[in-house]
Amino acid sequence: MASTADIRNGLCIKYNHDIFKIVEFLHVKPGKGPAFVRTKLKSLTSGKVLDNTFSAGHKIDVVRVETHTFQYLYNEGTEFHFMNQESFEQITLNRDILDAPDLLKEGTTVMVQINTETDMPLSVDMPASVVLEVTYAEPGVKGNTATNATKPATVETGASVNVPLFINEGDKIKIDTATGAYMERVKE
């Protein structure tokens, strides 16, 4: 058992007969009344996100997890196949457990958190950003740049990303996996 002082991003806890991962938290000490911790929890079984407030000192049940490096191999519909980098053992995960499945390129290295009690995969941590090639983009029109104008572009994994007008087909772009937003053009 742990208390609210041990809460941090990425911590997996048992709450309401389910396993949740703490996405974000905030310790709040109001001028009047007791302190509390405001959290955003993501269910690792259903993928639902809920807001919850724990009073200061509240006991929480922490789930022991191990983190292993896996490589993304391929997908069949909603099933995504990964291979452990150390033991070469393969696992299959459902699309719901992944944060950004549309940005996964074959060969991408991810970190998978596994429950040590049941050996079940709990969550997949993507790299902070991925570099993908633009496969389709409308041509940009000159003179349309009065403001930060963007256009939709399709990348090699099939995801659609809003990019600046100067991005063309064949360009490689860096995408933030947390938000799915364009970061910069990558020159090779």
Side-chain angles (χ1 to χ4, degrees), residues 152-166:
T154 306
V155 293
E156 60 188 297
T157 59
S160 182
V161 179
N162 284 333
V163 298
L165 296 177
F166 59 82

Side-chain angles (χ1 to χ4, degrees), residues 54-88:
F54 294 105
S55 57
H58 183 85
K59 298 292 181 206
I60 54 176
D61 197 3
V62 178
V63 177
R64 270 187 37 117
V65 294
E66 288 180 354
T67 304
H68 295 282
T69 306
F70 280 78
Q71 181 181 21
Y72 169 60
L73 299 175
Y74 61 95
N75 73 313
E76 293 175 321
T78 60
E79 301 293 312
F80 285 72
H81 298 269
F82 296 88
M83 179 182 66
N84 189 323
Q85 295 285 71
E86 295 145 15
S87 67
F88 304 107

Side-chain angles (χ1 to χ4, degrees), residues 1 6 8 12 25 70 79 90 93 104 139 156 172:
M1 292 294 271
D6 302 315
R8 64 185 184 284
C12 295
F25 71 97
F70 280 78
E79 301 293 312
Q90 291 189 18
L93 299 176
L104 263 179
E156 60 188 297
K172 291 195 183 288

